[in-house]
Amino acid sequence: MKYLYVINWKMNMSFNQSINFYKNNKNILEQLSNQFNEIIICPSFDALATISALLTTSTVKLGAQNCSEYPSGAYTGEVSVQSLAEIGITHCIVGHSERRTYFKETIETISKKIALLYQYKVQPIICIGQTTQAYQSKNTPAILEQQLASILTIVPPNQPVIIAYEPVFAIGTGMIPQQDHLENTFTWLAQYIKKNLAHNSFQLLYGGSVNPTTINTLKSISCINGFLIGSAGTDREKLQKIISEQ
Ligand code: PGA
């Protein structure tokens, strides 16, 4: 089955490590993406322009991990969506739980980023999720609805939507939610988005401890169109196993 794989290198690799990882694994990434998968690698800002120049003839795509909520101006240390678009970035992760937790990003900030990304034709990969406590309270749809409702209203007509569901307790822990929780959540997400979007062009990703041990279970869940991969994305062997798993 064809899946979308978004590989988030976070700040796990330095500039040199990112470039070397790409160069050393270029052929295998190319081969895996040619087998009908869509692969997007997301290095940190510093490596984007260099890797973009290396990807010109590749089917592998390039994403950023973040962007500024402001279009341009006196915002020291920020990177604009316009700059990302100019260097050939096609996708950008927004609203990752690490940004919500450590950098206090709010729905308002995330919404501004999403609107700018659509304006510059960079596809947002919008992360939503819930805490362990919320997971245990079995209230997932209500919590996700709070995050999704305003976001869906800013999607321009006919533009595709990519949503990544990432339960916080699953990120970097090796644990994934119960299978029935995943089935119910992804079925709910698909129905909710269909109901609230004027078109049907959306993809649902799962993120959080996607690795060679969990991928089999994850690929058995209906309505999952792809995966957001963190730590396993810095290990060629693990990545190959995840993508090749049928
Ligand atoms: P992980 O991270 O695969 O290391 O759990 C996923 C993510 O943060 O998107």
Side-chain angles (χ1 to χ4, degrees):
M1 187 162 155
K2 187 183 167 182
Y3 285 105
L4 166 62
Y5 298 91
V6 180
I7 302 163
N8 178 9
W9 286 342
K10 309 190 179 185
M11 207 175 68
N12 287 325
M13 291 205 279
S14 70
F15 173 78
N16 284 344
Q17 286 167 336
S18 304
I19 308 301
N20 290 339
F21 185 94
Y22 173 70
K23 284 187 176 166
N24 294 338
N25 299 299
K26 183 177 179 301
N27 292 345
I28 185 73
L29 284 169
E30 201 65 45
Q31 195 184 318
L32 290 167
S33 85
N34 284 336
Q35 286 167 350
F36 311 110
N37 292 299
E38 203 179 342
I39 298 180
I40 303 166
I41 51 175
C42 304
S44 49
F45 282 135
D46 50 318
L48 285 172
T50 310
I51 296 186
S52 178
L54 297 170
L55 281 175
T56 44
T57 57
S58 175
T59 51
V60 175
K61 293 181 182 145
L62 192 59
Q65 298 173 15
N66 185 29
C67 62
S68 178
E69 71 193 273
Y70 304 108
S72 67
Y75 299 102
T76 304
E78 290 288 275
V79 176
S80 72
V81 175
Q82 183 177 353
S83 288
L84 296 178
E86 283 174 5
I87 59 169
I89 278 27
T90 54
H91 292 73
C92 181
I93 298 170
V94 268
H96 191 281
S97 71
E98 286 153 14
R99 297 230 42 104
R100 292 181 197 245
T101 308
Y102 305 136
F103 303 98
K104 310 288 172 239
E105 284 193 8
T106 60
I107 298 267
E108 288 70 36
T109 318
I110 294 163
S111 301
K112 284 190 203 163
K113 293 182 182 194
I114 294 170
L116 274 173
L117 287 164
Y118 277 116
Q119 188 186 327
Y120 283 93
K121 309 220 174 325
V122 178
Q123 176 65 49
I125 297 165
I126 305 161
C127 300
I128 57 170
Q130 92 278 56
T131 60
T132 313
Q133 211 183 5
Y135 171 70
Q136 283 162 349
S137 73
K138 306 214 179 300
N139 209 11
T140 300
I143 290 154
L144 298 185
E145 189 171 359
Q146 271 172 16
Q147 295 169 48
L148 269 178
S150 60
I151 285 172
L152 292 183
T153 62
I154 52 175
V155 176
N158 304 319
Q159 291 303 303
V161 174
I162 302 179
I163 301 288
Y165 169 61
E166 298 205 301
V168 175
F169 72 90
I171 298 178
T173 59
M175 291 187 304
I176 59 167
Q178 305 269 338
Q179 215 164 325
D180 63 339
H181 170 86
L182 288 172
E183 274 296 350
N184 293 341
T185 303
F186 277 92
T187 306
W188 179 85
L189 274 171
Q191 282 167 355
Y192 181 83
I193 296 173
K194 266 184 208 156
K195 206 170 83 189
N196 289 281
L197 204 63
H199 61 77
N200 262 348
S201 176
F202 66 89
Q203 284 172 296
L204 297 177
L205 313 186
Y206 168 81
S209 295
V210 177
N211 61 42
T213 315
T214 58
I215 193 64
N216 202 319
T217 306
L218 293 169
K219 284 192 177 173
S220 72
I221 310 290
S222 44
C223 302
I224 292 187
N225 309 114
F227 303 95
L228 182 46
I229 305 169
S231 59
T234 57
D235 179 318
R236 183 188 55 86
E237 241 171 77
K238 287 186 182 166
L239 204 49
Q240 208 171 343
K241 282 193 184 139
I242 291 169
I243 300 178
S244 309
E245 175 74 41
Q246 291 306 310

